């Protein structure tokens, strides 16, 4: 009983506990606590997962996409430029551009020397470029390189270095058409010439695609095409590559032979006003623009102003014929080879005596032109010249085209009209002269010049067709015996033209430097081409400086080739047939002499012929 009572006391807690029982109870409580904590953590993780995947799913998806999902541009191909016959003049070729993520690349500085060597750039320059843009995710390292070169760089597997497709403009004709076409910059945007004038038409619209990139910047998946690229439109020019080549070649030869500092030439289609050729020297290579001086980029035929000299005389004659103050047979006494003009003189190179209107043009008499202009009022002369486009832009649309300088009558001095009658006191471009002459050849219809084939270009009448025909007949005598431009004559064709030689203005007057012109139309019966050649600052000790000597041969050589290429039939058949007969007659005696020599040789050999 006593033992049983003590046992009950111990079981009731009144006595000391057994040590093993205490340890078991403590361990059980701890396990319970840990289990509760684990359950709570699991619940917290489940709640967080639910929050991430259901409640805030969109937010965290955007955050993830911001790190790996990118919208990148799809470059658009620039439209091709062709000549009127479909020959390519400017095309875009695919190239690669190497770029880097500075944040990733700078984490591997030990790879920079290898990358700098592959890029062909100094290490310090590469490091400086990356450091300056360390907070960015994109920087170009080398642009518009050959795809094979880009592949070699990417094969190095340098972190943060990648490439993207771009396009580079290529000009197959090189220097020959550089001034007309212009060029594009590194972003494929037109900078000069027709590339600039028609940039919106040629450029196209880049597309956008959504991709996933890895931490090295490589595209691992194309997610979506946001907007497809729209290629630029092709452009068909009025230029004929063959005539352009002839023009460039002959102008280059003339510059070399005369020692001139520069030159320009323009060929127009008389019936449409389309520019068939336009060449300038010095020129540049549009495929390597940076290697040429900036001054060489200027299209002198449309930007440079010069006094037109005697190319103005047919226009003066046409104005007087229209006003009815002269006829083709009106006589002018140019004795003694000069007349006063205020405190100055208007002089001729020779005393031509009495000349009719045709003789004034044939001999290029300054005195005769001045006497004609005296019969016109200031208003008549001013109105006529402006009708032919002098004093304003031709409307060709070429970037930087000059309007010329032609003061209004209220700003004329007492000598202005007289000097303007033979091409001094106003300034024009070679293109303006070509447009005016094309109007004479087109029966008095003037077209704005156009660089685009078959562009809607309605003409406006500026002169009666009968008067235009009369002036052409007078101009034809310039290239015939007794005229100032016999070197412009073309066998089988009647050529109408006019020489011009103007002294270059300098401080306080005129220098002993010259511009030699020839402006002409061929064939006279139905003019197809109008051409102007301007040779600037020829060396007088070589071929001289007169337009009939330095510029007329360029016209002849180019037009001979153009007439043949375009299958223009001769309009002077008697001269052509006579030349053919003379050539045949020369061949027959030569053939007879050769035959006699052959027979003699056989006889000496002991045989029979």
């Amino acid at each position: 009983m006593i033992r049983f009572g003590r046992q009950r006391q111990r079981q009731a807690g009144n006595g000391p506990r057994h040590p093993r029982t205490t340890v078991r109870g403590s361990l059980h409580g701890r396990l319970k606590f840990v289990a509760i904590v684990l359950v709570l953590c699991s619940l917290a993780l489940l709640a967080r997962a639910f929050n991430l995947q259901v409640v805030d799913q969109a937010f965290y998806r955007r955050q993830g996409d911001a790190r790996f999902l990118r919208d990148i541009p799809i470059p658009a191909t620039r439209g091709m430029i062709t000549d009127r016959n479909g020959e390519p003049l400017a095309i875009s070729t695919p190239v690669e551009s190497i770029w880097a993520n500075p944040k990733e690349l700078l984490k591997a500085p030990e790879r920079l020397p290898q990358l700098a060597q592959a890029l062909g750039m100094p290490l310090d320059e590469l490091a400086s470029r990356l450091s300056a843009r360390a907070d960015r995710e994109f920087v170009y390292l080398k642009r518009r390189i050959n795809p094979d070169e880009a592949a070699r760089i990417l094969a190095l597997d340098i972190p943060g270095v990648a490439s993207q497709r771009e396009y580079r403009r290529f000009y197959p004709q090189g220097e020959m058409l550089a001034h007309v076409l212009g060029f594009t910059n590194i972003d494929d945007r037109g900078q000069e010439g027709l590339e600039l004038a028609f940039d919106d038409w040629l450029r196209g619209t880049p597309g956008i695609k959504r991709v996933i990139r890895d931490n090295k910047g490589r595209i691992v998946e194309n997610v979506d095409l946001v907007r497809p690229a729209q290629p630029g439109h092709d452009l068909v020019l009025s230029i004929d590559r063959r005539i352009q080549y002839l023009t460039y070649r002959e102008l280059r030869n003339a510059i070399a032979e005369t020692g001139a500092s520069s030159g320009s030439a323009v060929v127009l289609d008389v019936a449409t006003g389309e520019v068939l050729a336009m060449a300038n020297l010095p020129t540049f290579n549009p495929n390597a623009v940076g290697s040429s001086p900036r001054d060489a980029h200027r299209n002198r035929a449309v930007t440079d102003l010069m006094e037109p000299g005697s190319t103005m005389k047919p226009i003066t004659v046409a104005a007087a014929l229209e006003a009815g103050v002269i006829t083709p047979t009106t006589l002018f006494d140019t004795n003694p080879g000069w007349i006063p003009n205020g405190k100055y003189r208007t002089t001729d190179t020779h005393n031509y005596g009495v000349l009719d209107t045709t003789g004034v043009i044939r001999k290029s008499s300054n005195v005769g032109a001045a006497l004609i202009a005296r019969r016109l009022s200031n208003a008549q002369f001013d109105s006529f010249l402006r009708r032919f486009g002098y004093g304003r832009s031709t409307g060709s649309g070429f970037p930087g085209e000059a309007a010329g300088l032609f003061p209004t009558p209220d700003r004329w001095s007492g000598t202005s009209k007289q000097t303007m009658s033979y091409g001094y006191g106003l300034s024009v471009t070679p293109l303006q002269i070509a447009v005016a002459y094309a109007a004479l050849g087109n029966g008095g219809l003037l077209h704005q010049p156009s660089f685009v084939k078959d562009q809607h270009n309605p003409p406006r009448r500026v002169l009666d067709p009968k008067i235009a025909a009369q002036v052409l007949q007078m101009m034809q005598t310039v290239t015939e015996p007794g005229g100032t431009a016999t070197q412009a004559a073309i066998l089988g064709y009647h050529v109408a033209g006019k020489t011009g030689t103007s002294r270059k203005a300098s401080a306080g007057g005129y220098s002993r430097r010259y511009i030699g012109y020839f402006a002409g139309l061929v064939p006279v019966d139905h003019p197809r081409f109008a051409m102007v050649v301007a040779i600037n600052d020829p060396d007088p000790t070589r071929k001289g400086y007169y337009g009939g000597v330095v510029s007329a041969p360029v016209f002849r050589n180019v037009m001979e080739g153009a007439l043949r290429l375009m299958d223009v039939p001769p309009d002077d058949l008697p001269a052509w047939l006579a030349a053919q007969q003379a050539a045949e007659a020369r061949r027959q005696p030569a053939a007879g002499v050769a035959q006699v020599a052959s027979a003699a040789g056989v006889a000496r050999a002991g045989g029979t012929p």
Side-chain angles (χ1 to χ4, degrees), residues 179-180 194 238-239 244 247 263-270 272-280 299-308 311-312 315 385 387-404 427-440 445-452 455 457 460 515 517-521 529-535:
H179 294 104
V180 174
L194 298 182
S238 59
I239 296 290
Q244 177 71 26
T247 305
S264 299
V266 180
V267 180
L268 297 183
D269 187 309
V270 169
T272 64
E274 293 180 347
V275 180
L276 298 176
M278 180 178 285
N280 298 274
N299 187 346
R300 301 170 187 270
V302 297
T303 63
D304 282 18
L305 295 178
M306 51 194 75
E307 291 178 306
T311 61
M312 182 60 66
I315 308 299
L385 294 188
R387 199 190 314 160
F388 268 74
Y390 292 101
R392 66 182 181 187
S393 169
T394 65
S396 70
F398 197 91
E401 180 180 358
S427 296
V428 301
T429 65
L431 180 59
Q432 285 178 313
I433 301 174
V435 170
Y437 273 58
L440 291 175
L445 293 174
L446 187 146
H447 287 275
Q448 286 186 340
S450 171
F451 288 91
V452 179
Q455 189 175 38
N457 188 17
R460 56 186 176 88
I515 302 174
Y517 299 97
F518 183 81
L521 297 139
F529 305 114
M531 183 175 183
V532 172
V533 182
I535 304 296

